Amino acid sequence: MADHWFWWLLTAACVFWYSVITVYVAVRGFSDIKTMLAHLSQRPSDPDQSVP
């Protein structure tokens, strides 16, 4: 391991970056889905009342 410190460091940095991006996308996706569901619940359920 001491001989390949650069590759261990690079791998750890990539795993950290991937984890950060994954959490960010998950949080934003959850927020977008929550907003979409709130918006859909406010729409009229009768198709004749909806505006095209």
Side-chain angles (χ1 to χ4, degrees), residues 16-26:
F16 175 75
W17 180 248
Y18 182 79
S19 300
V20 168
I21 294 299
T22 301
V23 169
Y24 177 76
V25 169

Side-chain angles (χ1 to χ4, degrees), residues 32-52:
D32 288 344
I33 290 171
K34 186 176 169 184
T35 303
M36 178 189 67
L37 291 175
H39 179 70
L40 288 174
S41 69
Q42 294 174 356
R43 293 180 59 193
S45 60
D46 188 9
D48 294 332
Q49 294 178 353
S50 64
V51 177

